[in-house]
Amino acid sequence: MPRLTVAQALVTFLARQWSERDGHRLRLIPACFGIFGHGNVAGIGEALAGPAGAGLPYHLCRTEQGMVHTAAAYARMSDRLSTLACTTSIGPGATNLVTGAAGATINRLPVLLLPGDIFAARPANPVLQELEDPRSYDVSVTDALRPVSRYWDRINRPEQLPAALLAAMRVLTDPVETGAVTLALPQDVQAEAYDWPEELFADRVWHVPRARPDDAAVTRAARVVTAARRPVVVAGGGVIYSGACDALRRFAEEHGVPVAETQAGKGALPFGHPLALGAVGVTGTSAANEIAAGADLVIGIGTRYSDFTTASGTLFGGDARFVNLNVTGFDAAKLSGLQVVGDARESLAALGAACAGWATELAYRASVAELGQRWAAVADRARHADPDARPTQTAVIGAVNDAAGPRDVVVCAAGSMPGDLHRLWRSADPKSYHVEYGYSCMGYEIAGGIGVKLASPDREVFVLVGDGSYLMLPTELVTAVAEGVKLVVVLVDNRGFASIGRLSESVGAQRLGTAYQDRSAAPLAVDLGANAASLGADLIRVVTIEELRAALAAAKAAERTTVIHVETDPLVTGPDAGAWWDVPVAEVSARGETQAARAGYEAGRKARRTHLRPA
């Protein structure tokens, strides 16, 4: 029986875990990102530096939040079959994990968090960075990770480690349960030695199943589908994670059902397909939203029906029925849907076979194609604005999309850019669009880009980030440079929080606190390009769209991370499909703007449907 410290046993175990689906095997935890402090350097740090760490390469990040974003992006690009471990010290290192963990869990992405913790033996209280709670000495800052973790455990004795490790790996590889997994590691326990059973360190393969749907559920769903005249598919991220894009295309083509896409599902059907409606919901296209509003049946596949997808419950008609294909019963039951619980690829194949011989009318498909062409013309105008005018955000997106190859990836997360991207980006590959919009976390972009590039080093990665989001977490540029991870970062500078500025104005708050200015309302003399260069990235400044196109070509040819800084017009917005989003407006106000906004809010709220009708 090998005698190892708890940390050495942990690292040895992680290096021998594998995932498998459809005969394809991957390292489940191929690397560990971290920042060391007194709470993990003597335990996990020593283990990673010694023989145990030979199978688990270590990478230094600059922020704990950033490392979780990197791990989540890596997991998303790996279809949730592989992820990264993240280790921190106790105190602020541990609490800095919370935002990233919440984003991972909300987006159903596996990440493994290994924060240090206070002494299990309690030799003195309080130790440095201990949160004292008079209710119990067992309360620690790592408890803050409980509500944002799908599995959480504190290892107070070496004997507890094997069961906790197996439980953690189970959750990481379970498509239904996956999300952030936290193993809190008291610093004295990390360094404690123990005689471990040999079997703990054998290679272990975690088989990720393709759950097949219940035959009776498929039969019930087929009866509803074949009775529909105006069906529409809403494709979510589950389509892509399942590798069900080909199955979706076959289903759409055989039965003549148009496909609209959520943020996570964008690219499930490539741009240009005659049945591809593009983005749906608040950030959707007019084509997708018009078809969705008139649909008598919505077939949700791998979607969790966020408020942006449903336009806060106002998008779909009151008579619409729902058939939901989802690996989780929790999501399949939403909107009173008829539940087909199972893997998206398996469920689509079964439903398609059960609907054999049925298809929508040609006139319906023709209307879908016409609406799609009409929207494409609107999008073209936004994507290719006047080259002599000050660049707009939509024209920047068009230029980046034109520069990107069919397998290249765009990464974004927050502000107004995700909405414009959802409407305007033209995806040729299911993995070419990577926008974190479940948590819409400012600061995700650069860290997420690193995870994307690590998972797919043969793809160019274009990080589109606004100035507000850039300022939240620019330091991961240092990580990209240090690790030799080449990114093309397009820093879109509009001198403030443009998205929230417009939203603020729409609810009567008149852009309070959304412009970058000093107390005298003078613009701040902040040079974000110089900041990026100081962090080690190559910098190209551009003023026009034509200069941007040339800079993108140069950045693609470069071997290092390049930041392209472009200032855009903050007052020019992209095309709007007119969907409503529920942002409550003050019911009582002395401001006329707020009173008018409240009247509009009340009108919008009246269009909400309950969707309680059984399918």
Side-chain angles (χ1 to χ4, degrees):
M1 300 179 73
R3 187 167 180 80
L4 302 170
T5 68
V6 167
Q8 291 164 359
L10 167 70
V11 169
T12 302
F13 174 89
L14 293 180
R16 294 173 181 171
Q17 305 306 298
W18 300 80
S19 69
E20 180 276 330
R21 188 177 70 180
D22 300 336
H24 181 51
R25 200 166 87 154
L26 284 174
R27 280 283 302 278
L28 179 56
I29 314 288
C32 179
F33 274 73
I35 296 176
F36 290 123
H38 72 281
N40 65 339
V41 67
I44 292 180
E46 187 282 332
L48 289 168
L56 194 68
Y58 171 76
H59 303 277
L60 171 64
C61 283
R62 271 69 197 172
T63 63
E64 292 87 356
Q65 178 181 326
M67 73 172 78
V68 188
H69 293 329
T70 296
Y74 187 98
R76 178 172 170 176
M77 285 301 291
S78 305
D79 287 331
R80 307 191 294 193
L81 299 173
S82 185
T83 189
L84 305 173
C86 301
T87 181
T88 74
S89 187
I90 68 173
T95 52
N96 284 348
L97 294 171
V98 173
T99 297
T105 296
I106 284 171
N107 286 297
R108 319 288 210 265
L109 295 171
V111 296
L112 177 61
L113 311 181
L114 305 171
D117 212 326
I118 55 178
F119 283 76
R122 304 177 189 171
N125 297 100
V127 298
L128 179 63
Q129 299 178 330
E130 179 176 354
L131 174 72
E132 288 190 284
D133 190 320
R135 295 171 299 175
S136 172
Y137 278 118
D138 194 44
V139 175
S140 161
V141 297
T142 59
D143 288 280
L145 287 158
R146 286 179 185 260
V148 295
S149 298
R150 296 296 289 168
Y151 178 82
W152 185 100
D153 206 348
R154 181 179 287 128
I155 311 303
N156 284 311
R157 291 293 307 142
E159 296 93 327
Q160 297 172 344
L161 183 66
L165 286 173
L166 295 177
M169 298 305 108
R170 179 193 65 79
V171 174
L172 289 173
T173 55
D174 186 338
V176 177
E177 294 294 328
T178 198
V181 167
T182 300
L183 296 180
L185 300 163
Q187 52 190 305
D188 54 341
V189 176
Q190 289 182 46
E192 187 174 345
Y194 187 74
D195 295 320
W196 304 93
E198 292 275 3
E199 297 85 355
L200 181 64
F201 306 118
D203 278 7
R204 195 177 303 269
V205 180
W206 298 86
H207 300 280
V208 180
R210 289 195 178 275
R212 290 179 171 80
D214 176 65
D215 290 342
V218 172
T219 299
R220 289 191 294 269
R223 283 200 296 266
V224 176
V225 171
T226 55
R229 298 184 60 202
R230 302 179 310 281
V232 64
V233 164
V234 173
V239 174
I240 296 175
Y241 299 144
S242 171
C245 296
D246 287 342
L248 174 63
R249 178 184 51 78
R250 287 192 296 271
F251 180 87
E253 291 173 351
E254 182 175 347
H255 304 294
V257 181
V259 176
E261 299 165 329
T262 70
Q263 284 276 13
K266 190 169 173 67
L269 203 62
F271 171 79
H273 192 286
L275 290 166
L277 291 166
V280 69
V282 176
T283 55
T285 71
S286 59
N289 287 352
E290 186 171 333
I291 291 295
D296 57 357
L297 175 67
V298 179
I299 306 172
I301 308 173
T303 177
R304 59 195 187 97
Y305 286 118
S306 76
D307 67 333
F308 261 59
T309 298
T310 68
S312 298
T314 65
L315 180 61
F316 306 115
D319 293 332
R321 294 185 176 189
F322 295 84
V323 168
N324 297 326
L325 283 59
N326 205 293
V327 73
T328 77
F330 176 75
D331 288 324
K334 290 177 178 176
L335 302 176
S336 298
L338 192 156
Q339 303 173 52
V340 179
V341 179
D343 173 78
R345 195 184 74 179
E346 296 296 320
S347 298
L348 269 170
L351 182 60
C355 295
W358 168 84
T360 60
E361 296 179 357
L362 291 175
Y364 179 59
R365 282 174 267 174
S367 69
V368 168
E370 181 184 351
L371 288 170
Q373 292 166 4
R374 196 181 304 167
W375 170 258
V378 172
D380 280 338
R381 289 192 292 272
R383 286 163 47 92
H384 300 104
D386 183 354
D388 297 323
R390 185 179 181 184
T392 63
Q393 182 168 276
T394 58
V396 169
I397 289 171
V400 176
N401 204 169
D402 291 343
R407 296 186 69 256
D408 296 341
V409 188
V410 64
V411 180
C412 191
S416 60
M417 203 126 50
D420 286 342
L421 280 165
H422 197 204
R423 295 185 185 101
L424 301 177
W425 190 268
R426 294 173 172 177
S427 299
D429 180 271
K431 291 295 182 183
S432 67
Y433 185 86
H434 186 112
V435 172
E436 189 284 294
Y437 214 56
Y439 210 38
S440 187
C441 186
M442 297 178 74
Y444 174 92
E445 293 90 344
I446 295 169
I450 294 171
V452 170
K453 187 69 173 181
L454 288 173
S456 298
D458 60 329
R459 298 176 186 253
E460 288 288 342
V461 178
F462 294 86
V463 174
L464 272 170
V465 59
D467 49 355
S469 200
Y470 173 83
L471 282 170
M472 291 285 183
L473 211 64
T475 47
E476 291 311 311
L477 278 175
V478 180
T479 302
V481 172
E483 295 290 335
V485 177
K486 184 250 176 130
L487 305 174
V488 178
V489 180
V490 182
L491 174 50
V492 180
D493 190 347
N494 54 30
R495 300 288 170 169
F497 298 117
S499 172
I500 295 302
R502 288 195 291 273
L503 180 62
S504 170
E505 198 168 48
S506 74
V507 299
Q510 303 311 105
R511 295 181 178 263
L512 175 66
T514 60
Y516 290 159
Q517 56 191 23
D518 62 22
R519 299 304 299 179
S520 68
L524 288 178
V526 174
D527 189 339
L528 299 184
N531 173 263
S534 76
L535 296 176
D538 292 342
L539 174 66
I540 304 176
R541 297 184 190 270
V542 302
V543 176
T544 68
I545 286 295
E546 291 310 310
E547 289 177 353
L548 173 60
R549 293 183 185 277
L552 288 165
K556 283 186 69 175
E559 295 182 356
R560 301 180 73 251
T561 289
T562 301
V563 174
I564 302 171
H565 180 264
V566 54
E567 292 192 16
T568 59
D569 189 335
L571 300 180
V572 177
T573 61
D576 188 0
W580 185 70
W581 185 35
D582 190 344
V583 178
V585 180
E587 192 169 0
V588 177
S589 174
R591 300 177 58 87
E593 300 94 336
T594 306
Q595 294 168 10
R598 178 69 191 193
Y601 174 72
E602 295 288 356
R605 195 163 63 169
K606 289 177 181 177
R608 182 183 283 123
R609 287 96 176 186
T610 59
H611 297 303
L612 295 176
R613 180 185 179 191

